[in-house]
Amino acid sequence: MPSVRPCADVDALNNTNFHTSNLFGLWVAPGFNDSEHYTAYLLQGGLQLPDREYYLADDEHMRAIRTQYQAHISTMLKLAGFTDPDARAARIVELERAIAQAHRTLADNQDIHKANNTWLQADFAIKAPGLDWTEYFRAAGLQQTNLIVWQPEAFAAESALVASAPLDTWKDWLAFHLIDAYAGVLPKALAQEGFAFFGKTLSGTPQQRPRWQRGVFVVNGLLGDAVGKIYAERYFSPEAKAQAQTMVVNLIATYRKRIEALSWMDPATKAEAQEKLSTLYVGIGYPETWRDYSSYEMKPDDIFGNIWRSRLADYRRDVARLGKPVDRKEWSMTPQTVNAVNLPLQNALNFPAAILQPPFFDPLAPAAANYGAIGSIIGHEISHTFDTEGSAFDSKGRVRNWWTPTDLEHFEAATAKLAAQYETYKPFPDLSVNGKQTLAENIADVAGISAAYDGYRASLAGKPAPVQDGFSGDQQFFIAFGQNRGSKTREASLRQQVMTDSHAPSQFRAATVRNVDAWYAAFNVQPGETLYLAPPDRVRIW
């Protein structure tokens, strides 16, 4: 059953590290070149560890992870009744290492132009020989002639591995991936071993959540909209929705002014940017149409089957949409998700009800706090419309270059400066933030807080900001922004984030204020202080 699971992320394309335990995965979305209809994307897969670097990096930490991973595979196979589990595990790890060598890095994966590769079904046997593609397309139910292959080099290498690696190794690899994917609902010993490696070893989590919580997560994962409808009715009032919508309108207006004021942007490019804002769909709280689960078959005594059948139903739903008109108002998140998303292929934003709650948003809080908290997030998501990836899409969601060469050169120079700034951040002595990998999110953070500040000041309509607990309005704004980024992360989880996430760790995202002039005036920040950055080094993009 071909499938792909997008990682939870603030931007649906910013983290194109789509994860599937299959050799490759199918993703159905608006087409890069025909955004009016759903098309089929095929993406690299085949790895159980979070990223290719876990297989290829030669430092002591990663070598230890690989040793523990091989032991985990052996234990899972033994618990499942396989003979000679150690030898099988060694072969599986070696196969996955070969797959990892063909994978694109996360940073390269974010280049939309490198991903825009249209293949006819007939091309696969020529460009990626080794796999029986005719049988694959038949079994997968894929009738669409054109498919977009995100990482052509990975498909060529993975297909060649199908022909060259022993069949028995592939059988063991498939069996292990299936067992590992469903370990949480298999007998207790398998579930405990799955958590021991992925929870304790990879993430540093000391113990599993209680069984009832894990059950809630399963229901939420399978029937997210059904749960979300109840959540939205209980916890998101019409008044809160109206207030959030007003903030969105104010922030879009702020972006219009900021774009118009750019001295480096050509009028033709500005006009295209303004058109993107005009056609931007912003969903607040919950979708306009709820998901239909009537095709799901649920049985009270068959948790494995329930999950299997629900995934199969989702897959069939996706395939059935191929070639059909796009619903630009469709949501990619449930209302109970604490997150937000920019959908460049739809030119749309989603702000679920769960993030429109304290501490991010409180209808009773001062405007300064709301603009500093949820306002900076709204500004962040709007900015993704024009970041290193969003700028590749026009107002209709098509991949099209609407920038003049001079504008693009200026933009790339400014963003390179921001990438270099983040390269200086080191959460560990042996590990730095990857400025290129996190660039799109860093751009959105800088633009988001800048636009939110302007929106906040505009909301005062010339009146003085009320003082709260001895803090001025500007101070309240920046305090709320900083509190948004407050977090506590275990070392193992933080290492994984730095290597595999398109977002910088929270403490460095909070340091975005170093690029905002108003920050210095608000707290009288002086040279030599941690969050001081000399004026020539401050990055301004939008």
Side-chain angles (χ1 to χ4, degrees):
M1 180 173 57
S3 65
V4 65
R5 183 181 72 250
C7 296
D9 193 88
V10 173
D11 182 338
L13 282 179
N14 246 353
N15 194 351
T16 44
N17 183 25
F18 292 90
H19 184 79
T20 174
S21 59
N22 299 322
L23 187 58
F24 48 84
L26 172 72
W27 181 48
V28 174
F32 275 161
N33 310 302
D34 176 10
S35 61
E36 299 297 324
H37 300 90
Y38 290 106
T39 195
Y41 294 76
L42 291 181
L43 299 102
Q44 66 189 17
L47 306 179
Q48 287 294 82
L49 291 178
D51 182 72
R52 69 190 297 271
E53 293 305 313
Y54 278 74
Y55 297 88
L56 306 179
D58 197 32
D59 60 85
E60 182 179 351
H61 176 74
M62 285 303 178
R63 288 195 298 270
I65 290 289
R66 288 194 291 271
T67 298
Q68 292 168 297
Y69 177 52
Q70 186 168 319
H72 164 68
I73 296 173
S74 178
T75 300
M76 294 295 275
L77 292 176
K78 184 178 180 180
L79 289 170
F82 284 77
T83 59
D84 202 11
D86 290 344
R88 293 175 191 259
R91 290 191 291 268
I92 290 169
V93 170
E94 182 58 26
L95 178 58
E96 290 190 12
R97 186 193 66 80
I99 294 171
Q101 287 178 321
H103 272 215
R104 278 189 188 168
T105 64
L106 178 56
D108 283 344
N109 242 357
Q110 295 177 23
D111 188 331
I112 297 303
H113 299 290
K114 289 182 180 179
N116 191 12
N117 309 290
T118 301
W119 287 13
L120 300 175
Q121 286 194 8
D123 291 334
F124 283 80
I126 299 169
K127 296 180 177 181
L131 188 68
D132 187 343
W133 289 104
T134 299
E135 176 59 21
Y136 164 72
F137 291 126
R138 185 203 64 77
L142 291 176
Q143 305 301 320
Q144 185 166 323
T145 304
N146 297 339
L147 300 95
I148 295 178
V149 179
W150 202 288
Q151 308 95 351
E153 67 279 16
F155 277 77
E158 290 175 356
S159 191
L161 278 171
V162 171
S164 63
L167 180 59
D168 284 343
T169 301
W170 281 112
K171 289 180 179 180
D172 290 340
W173 174 89
L174 285 165
F176 164 66
H177 277 224
L178 182 63
I179 294 164
D180 224 36
Y182 285 85
V185 294
L186 293 177
K188 188 175 182 179
L190 287 160
Q192 289 178 331
E193 171 56 29
F195 173 77
F197 179 73
F198 288 100
K200 288 185 178 179
T201 300
L202 281 189
S203 301
T205 308
Q207 62 185 27
Q208 269 188 310
R209 292 179 181 271
R211 184 181 177 89
W212 72 266
Q213 287 187 7
R214 304 201 306 272
V216 169
F217 292 153
V218 170
V219 173
N220 191 51
L222 297 183
L223 303 169
D225 265 24
V227 175
K229 188 175 183 180
I230 298 171
Y231 178 89
E233 288 172 351
R234 291 186 182 181
Y235 301 112
F236 193 58
S237 68
E239 293 78 16
K241 180 169 182 171
Q243 189 170 332
Q245 287 173 323
T246 298
M247 290 186 70
V248 169
V249 170
N250 290 345
L251 283 164
I252 289 177
T254 296
Y255 266 97
R256 289 194 181 281
K257 293 177 182 177
R258 293 180 71 87
I259 289 170
E260 201 55 43
L262 292 173
S263 60
W264 55 268
M265 182 172 275
D266 185 87
T269 311
K270 286 182 181 180
E272 291 271 11
Q274 297 286 12
E275 179 62 19
K276 286 199 77 174
L277 289 176
S278 296
T279 59
L280 184 67
Y281 168 74
V282 183
I284 297 292
Y286 45 86
E288 297 177 27
T289 303
W290 295 100
R291 176 77 178 272
D292 178 10
Y293 296 106
S294 60
S295 64
Y296 281 28
E297 181 186 5
M298 296 288 172
K299 299 179 181 180
D301 58 349
D302 185 17
I303 180 62
F304 177 91
N306 289 340
I307 295 175
W308 178 272
R309 288 186 295 272
S310 71
R311 290 180 177 177
L312 184 58
D314 287 344
Y315 176 77
R316 288 171 173 164
R317 173 179 179 267
D318 283 343
V319 170
R321 305 171 83 184
L322 291 172
K324 293 184 178 178
V326 168
D327 177 4
R328 297 198 174 279
K329 296 183 178 181
E330 182 179 26
W331 277 52
S332 70
M333 290 181 170
T334 60
Q336 65 273 27
T337 302
V338 183
N339 211 331
V341 69
N342 180 295
L343 303 166
L345 288 166
Q346 296 171 216
N347 196 28
L349 311 179
N350 297 164
F351 295 98
I355 202 170
L356 297 169
Q357 307 287 338
F360 300 101
F361 174 68
D362 183 350
L364 302 179
N370 278 334
Y371 274 92
I374 195 64
S376 64
I377 293 174
I378 295 170
H380 172 110
E381 295 306 333
I382 295 173
S383 171
H384 274 315
T385 306
F386 310 109
D387 67 13
T388 49
E389 290 177 7
S391 60
F393 298 88
D394 65 15
S395 61
K396 296 183 182 297
R398 297 172 300 189
V399 174
R400 182 172 68 85
N401 181 19
W402 46 275
W403 294 63
T404 68
T406 302
D407 290 343
L408 192 59
E409 182 180 351
H410 177 95
F411 179 72
E412 289 177 345
T415 57
K417 186 177 178 181
L418 187 63
Q421 182 184 118
Y422 274 77
E423 294 278 1
T424 66
Y425 296 143
K426 297 188 69 170
F428 302 101
D430 63 333
L431 189 61
S432 300
V433 172
N434 186 324
K436 183 180 178 184
Q437 176 179 301
T438 58
L439 180 57
E441 295 298 333
N442 300 335
I443 294 170
D445 280 345
V446 172
I449 188 174
S450 301
Y453 178 78
D454 284 359
Y456 159 61
R457 298 298 302 183
S459 75
L460 297 175
K463 298 178 182 178
V467 174
Q468 182 92 3
D469 297 326
F471 293 106
S472 70
D474 280 16
Q475 288 176 329
Q476 294 171 52
F477 174 89
F478 285 109
I479 289 171
F481 174 80
Q483 289 175 332
N484 249 15
R485 297 299 168 202
S487 65
K488 186 174 182 179
T489 309
R490 297 182 179 90
E491 179 178 334
S493 180
L494 182 57
R495 281 186 175 274
Q496 182 174 330
Q497 179 188 351
V498 173
M499 294 190 65
T500 66
D501 202 329
S502 62
H503 302 80
S506 290
Q507 65 265 40
F508 305 122
R509 298 185 71 181
T512 299
V513 296
R514 301 171 76 209
N515 296 294
V516 182
D517 291 341
W519 156 254
Y520 296 87
F523 286 97
N524 192 30
V525 182
Q526 298 297 317
E529 296 182 339
T530 301
L531 292 179
Y532 179 88
L533 198 62
D537 297 326
R538 298 171 196 170
V539 177
R540 301 171 181 84
I541 300 173
W542 294 107

